Amino acid sequence: MSCDSRTSKKDRLEKAIIQFNKNIKSNNATNYYPESYTEIKTDSIISNTFHVNIKNYSSMDRGIFMNTSTKQLKKTSQFHRTFESDILVSIADKVIYNSHISAANFSRLNSDKFWTNATLEHVWVNEELSSTKTLSLGISFINPKDETYKLYEIRIDQLGNERLTLIEDHS
């Protein structure tokens, strides 16, 4: 110690460490699956009767929080994007069915815990169960956090009336 107001090595080291810690910023990253916008469009004609347009796509403004990991000063949050679908069914150029499908729509029908972190996986035409009188659509929902799923069928008649049936429930 000296009397001329100089700082000791210990004080200079502590001050340098404090200054260094102030300048370091933690690095936060957010990862999404899928990373970018995803869209699948299908057009089908079933039994020369039903003309079906299905558009499955990822929502860019909604995701399901999966987890957070931290390595050194980098904090990474993982999200699974939610998916939605638009369905348009017509007969002889007359629209008989027009619907938007998402997990949010289905969760209103059922307050099951499954729907808290669920998203639409896919909507498709089930050609084997479709005929000239009815159209069968398969709809699958997944809960990526719990690794569970639900499978539904929508049957649409020639007047556009629908009947929803739960086929499988693994939740």
Side-chain angles (χ1 to χ4, degrees):
M1 287 277 194
S2 99
C3 296
D4 60 358
S5 300
R6 287 185 289 177
T7 57
S8 67
K9 281 184 177 183
K10 180 185 175 223
D11 292 336
R12 285 193 307 268
L13 180 61
E14 284 176 358
K15 186 176 180 180
I17 290 172
I18 290 170
Q19 187 63 34
F20 177 79
N21 287 339
K22 283 182 185 177
N23 292 336
I24 282 214
K25 296 177 182 168
S26 64
N27 197 2
N28 294 331
T30 303
N31 292 338
Y32 285 92
Y33 173 81
E35 290 181 17
S36 60
Y37 179 74
T38 303
E39 179 179 290
I40 299 170
K41 288 183 180 181
T42 40
D43 290 331
S44 305
I45 297 176
I46 306 301
S47 301
N48 289 328
T49 306
F50 296 99
H51 184 227
V52 185
N53 296 314
I54 299 174
K55 180 172 109 174
N56 296 304
Y57 56 94
S58 59
S59 174
M60 297 304 286
D61 58 349
R62 276 178 254 143
I64 299 166
F65 175 74
M66 297 299 287
N67 62 33
T68 301
S69 62
T70 305
K71 285 186 180 177
Q72 296 172 353
L73 294 174
K74 185 175 182 178
K75 179 180 175 183
T76 305
S77 298
Q78 304 284 336
F79 286 87
H80 188 291
R81 290 194 196 278
T82 59
F83 280 77
E84 300 175 7
S85 185
D86 294 326
I87 302 167
L88 183 68
V89 180
S90 58
I91 296 176
D93 295 330
K94 180 184 174 202
V95 174
I96 62 163
Y97 185 82
N98 188 0
S99 182
H100 175 80
I101 297 189
S102 68
N105 293 355
F106 272 70
S107 68
R108 293 182 198 128
L109 303 174
N110 187 340
S111 62
D112 187 359
K113 178 187 167 225
F114 169 84
W115 298 106
T116 306
N117 293 304
T119 182
L120 177 71
E121 184 177 34
H122 198 66
V123 176
W124 67 95
V125 174
N126 188 334
E127 294 179 32
E128 293 176 3
L129 297 177
S130 296
S131 68
T132 57
K133 297 186 192 295
T134 60
L135 172 69
S136 175
L137 300 176
I139 303 172
S140 64
F141 291 96
I142 61 169
N143 183 323
K145 208 163 185 158
D146 297 339
E147 297 180 1
T148 56
Y149 69 93
K150 290 184 185 251
L151 179 62
Y152 287 88
E153 177 189 39
I154 290 183
R155 285 199 167 263
I156 302 167
D157 67 15
Q158 291 180 332
L159 299 174
N161 300 317
E162 72 176 52
R163 188 179 76 221
L164 178 67
T165 307
L166 177 63
I167 304 296
E168 288 184 48
D169 184 354
H170 291 275
S171 57

